[in-house]
Amino acid sequence: MPYEPPTHSVERSLRATTGAKIIAGVDEVGRGAWAGPVTVCAAVTGLRRPPEGLTDSKLITPKRRTALAVELEKWVTGYALGHGSPEEIDALGMTAALRLAAVRALDALPVRPDAVILDGKHDYLGTPWKVRTVIKGDQSCIAVAAASVIAKVRRDSMMAELEAEADCSAYAFAANAGYPSPVHKAALEERGPTRYHRLSWSYLDALPQWRHLKKVRVSAEAVALESGGQLGFDF
């Protein structure tokens, strides 16, 4: 099924309505994984024509996505990555960990953006950032699409490196990127979670022999953020 290519229409709208000159597109990957970090990419593209075939990373084949990420890293005005570790996800919850990762990415950009286009309908970033949320922004906005491809390729590479470690080879992270898969689930049942797994998540409830490892989140701030209904997950 063909998809309409992304455009700069949201960037142009932000420039016209807010006076913003530097606009970053922000997207995340790894939110629903059982292992590994949640990774956020912030990308600044200006209004130039993007490389051919740019769209949401999930709509691109792995081979083309990897090649496109190389092109994008040279094409964008600037990009940076931020990560929320499994420990931070366990301690703070996903909403707060996403914000940490996004702020780290934005702070690492070579220039500070005047405004941010955030993929999705929920603003997990908040003040002091000037945020425009866009549902399916990774398909419709060039800067967000570029961020989605770079984030996906970089995180997949990180998870493949983890699989190369002796205690992670059974989990097939290179193939599943830390998401649920038959091989991943079988390894968890037999070996239990690694230090890269999120230990506050309810997949452990289905593993009686490892259930004692489950962590309970105690941060009042994290509980308030999660109960706000912005990002609720039940795995």
Side-chain angles (χ1 to χ4, degrees), residues 185-207:
K185 292 178 181 178
L188 277 169
E189 290 179 3
E190 180 181 351
R191 300 166 178 258
T194 69
R195 62 186 181 276
Y196 303 112
H197 279 85
R198 303 168 187 181
L199 298 181
S200 61
W201 288 37
S202 60
Y203 68 85
L204 281 170
D205 295 337
L207 302 171

Side-chain angles (χ1 to χ4, degrees), residues 53 83 129 166 205 215:
H83 308 283
W129 302 95
D205 295 337
K215 292 183 178 180

Side-chain angles (χ1 to χ4, degrees), residues 5-6 50-57 59-60 64 68 71-72 145 149:
E52 189 69 27
L54 176 63
T55 187
D56 173 9
S57 63
L59 304 177
I60 307 172
R64 174 55 185 151
L68 183 58
E71 293 181 58
L72 288 169
V149 171

Side-chain angles (χ1 to χ4, degrees), residues 13-143:
S13 172
L14 278 170
R15 286 173 178 242
T17 58
T18 70
K21 298 185 183 304
I22 301 171
I23 300 171
V26 171
D27 199 15
E28 55 74 26
V29 65
R31 186 162 53 180
W34 287 358
V38 61
T39 296
V40 173
C41 180
V44 178
T45 66
L47 298 178
R48 293 171 297 135
R49 183 188 297 273
E52 189 69 27
L54 176 63
T55 187
D56 173 9
S57 63
K58 297 184 291 295
L59 304 177
I60 307 172
T61 64
K63 182 178 179 180
R64 174 55 185 151
R65 190 166 57 218
T66 299
L68 183 58
V70 174
E71 293 181 58
L72 288 169
E73 289 176 12
K74 297 175 182 177
W75 172 79
V76 297
T77 302
Y79 78 93
L81 295 161
H83 308 283
S85 70
E87 294 83 4
E88 289 168 332
I89 294 169
D90 287 336
L92 301 173
M94 181 54 73
T95 302
L98 265 173
R99 186 178 193 280
L100 272 179
V103 169
R104 286 165 178 164
L106 289 164
D107 283 346
L109 285 170
V111 289
R112 184 177 177 87
D114 303 312
V116 174
I117 303 171
L118 195 62
D119 182 50
K121 64 180 180 178
H122 301 301
D123 177 9
Y124 57 78
L125 191 55
T127 56
W129 302 95
K130 187 179 296 182
V131 175
R132 173 78 60 87
T133 58
V134 178
I135 296 173
K136 294 188 177 179
D138 48 10
Q139 290 184 36
S140 61
C141 301
I142 286 173

